[in-house]
Amino acid sequence: MSTPKKVVVLAYPNLCLFEFSCAMEVFAQRRPEFEVQHYSTVVCATDDSHQVGLPIENLVLSTTKGLSDIHDADLVIIPGWQGPDILPSDALRNSLLSAYNNGARIASICSGVFLLAYTGLLANKVATTHWQYIAKAREKFPNTHFDENVLYTDNGQILTSAGSAAGLDMCLHLVKQDYGQHVANAYARRLVIPPYREGGQAQFIQQPIPKSDNNTKLSVLLDTLENNLSSQYSVEDMADMVNMSERNFLRQFKAQFATSPAKWLINLRIKRACELLETSELPTKSIAQMCGLGTEESLRHHFRRQLKVSPLHYRRQFSEL
């Protein structure tokens, strides 16, 4: 191998320390198990002060490097950002664009996607961020497609990752790109994490089940369904239970809950299945029946579709037992 790849990790006011540490752990740690140095990593302040206030009282990060050190980077890591509504300075934006135009890869972790989007480099690309930021990101940058399910996205020179620890997944992906799977595996062993995680962040999102605040026929119906999930219900059955025509029932349900009865019921069944996988040792066959999903095959199908993992993988991840 020739010279190590130059990595720049940005440091900004109220730095997101976990995201910053993820980048430093992967790219700045010495690797005595290798005879060569893979990366040369510097921390660059986003303004001329070179003093970065941290979100801990009386703690400041100092660095001798600034924006002028970004232009010749091979890789720039944006470890979070100050906030969705905080625009970068012209100098910071231009430095990132210059690095990009010189061939650097630019990768954001979690809320760092907002800084990246403000440069314009995410236009007409697929990106991600922490699922709690997805709605805000879609509102502010409608010309970018934000995928709330994946752990990271790779557009070649531009990469983005979901919340916090997903940054490690993206960083290991970058190591694999640079030096191969065997090197990425060694990095993962040092971090005591898998080199590749199955599924995406969908498995960590609490699926919202719309509820009615009004004492209506529909709210009574939903309570009945929730307490009897092992039974099967057609749209006709549900309409009959509230003495409505199917057409009127579907119209009122969609107006009140912004979804269809079938999707609402599937979400509720999956939510109950998740609870049972987390808190019991019941076999998946029994869980499928108790939740009204019928068979193990049906349970696996809906888990793969909504959570991007299998029920058994979900249990291994989240079991409280």
Side-chain angles (χ1 to χ4, degrees):
M1 188 181 74
S2 56
T3 58
K5 293 184 180 296
K6 180 179 177 180
V7 177
V8 167
V9 182
L10 295 184
Y12 50 86
N14 293 314
L15 181 64
C16 294
L17 290 178
F18 184 82
E19 289 80 352
F20 177 77
S21 299
C22 288
M24 297 300 288
E25 182 68 30
V26 173
F27 296 111
Q29 280 279 22
R30 292 182 60 83
R31 305 287 171 181
E33 64 268 40
F34 294 102
E35 296 180 357
V36 295
Q37 185 178 359
H38 296 127
Y39 299 101
S40 175
T41 301
V42 297
V43 176
C44 291
T46 57
D47 58 41
D48 295 331
S49 69
H50 301 292
Q51 299 285 320
V52 178
L54 303 180
I56 301 174
E57 189 175 358
N58 299 323
L59 192 60
V60 175
L61 184 149
S62 297
T63 175
T64 60
K65 304 295 184 180
L67 295 180
S68 61
D69 294 277
I70 296 177
H71 76 279
D72 63 343
D74 295 299
L75 170 64
V76 179
I77 302 289
I78 306 173
W81 184 234
Q82 301 173 65
D85 299 316
I86 298 181
L87 276 66
S89 66
D90 289 341
L92 174 56
R93 181 178 179 275
N94 290 336
S95 294
L96 290 172
L97 290 173
S98 174
Y100 176 82
N101 290 331
N102 288 336
R105 290 169 298 172
I106 304 178
S108 67
I109 301 176
C110 196
S111 59
V113 77
F114 290 99
L115 171 55
L116 191 50
Y118 280 126
T119 67
L121 291 172
L122 286 181
N124 302 314
K125 291 184 173 66
V126 178
T128 193
T129 184
H130 192 290
W131 55 268
Q132 289 185 313
Y133 292 130
I134 288 287
K136 183 72 170 179
R138 287 171 175 164
E139 174 190 337
K140 294 189 71 65
F141 306 104
N143 60 348
T144 299
H145 174 70
F146 288 93
D147 189 342
E148 65 184 6
N149 294 320
V150 297
L151 293 175
Y152 59 85
T153 66
D154 184 348
N155 294 281
Q157 270 188 264
I158 300 296
L159 298 93
T160 65
S161 79
S164 301
L168 287 171
D169 297 278
M170 180 187 68
C171 289
L172 289 176
H173 172 72
L174 287 163
V175 174
K176 176 185 174 182
Q177 283 186 332
D178 290 338
Y179 300 108
Q181 186 66 63
H182 69 290
V183 174
N185 289 345
Y187 277 49
R189 283 194 292 271
R190 281 284 299 271
L191 292 164
V192 197
I193 61 174
Y196 175 79
R197 282 196 291 168
E198 182 183 358
Q201 65 174 329
Q203 61 191 299
F204 302 100
I205 302 173
Q206 291 293 325
Q207 298 294 328
I209 305 297
K211 289 270 190 174
S212 172
D213 295 328
N214 303 320
N215 185 19
T216 65
K217 289 181 179 180
L218 290 181
S219 63
V220 174
L221 169 66
L222 301 190
D223 289 339
T224 301
L225 298 179
E226 188 168 359
N227 292 324
N228 299 276
L229 277 179
S230 60
S231 300
Q232 298 299 313
Y233 306 94
S234 66
V235 172
E236 181 182 2
D237 293 333
M238 290 185 275
D240 287 342
M241 292 167 71
V242 290
N243 297 315
M244 294 182 186
S245 68
E246 286 188 46
R247 182 176 180 180
N248 188 36
F249 170 68
L250 289 170
R251 181 181 58 80
Q252 290 200 30
F253 198 101
K254 182 67 178 292
Q256 193 160 346
F257 302 108
T259 189
S260 70
K263 288 182 178 179
W264 185 93
L265 193 53
I266 285 294
N267 285 343
L268 187 59
R269 295 190 196 281
I270 293 296
K271 181 175 182 291
R272 180 66 56 81
C274 288
E275 292 170 356
L276 292 172
L277 288 167
E278 292 171 16
T279 60
S280 78
E281 295 180 342
L282 289 167
T284 52
K285 180 179 179 180
S286 298
I287 290 175
Q289 293 170 349
M290 293 171 66
C291 298
L293 290 169
T295 65
E296 290 180 88
E297 290 76 13
S298 177
L299 179 66
R300 285 195 294 270
H301 167 76
H302 288 293
F303 257 70
R304 287 285 184 187
R305 185 174 181 178
Q306 291 201 22
L307 305 185
K308 312 304 179 186
V309 294
S310 69
L312 290 180
H313 181 90
Y314 184 90
R315 172 170 270 170
R316 287 195 297 270
Q317 290 274 94
F318 297 105
S319 175
E320 299 174 5
L321 303 179

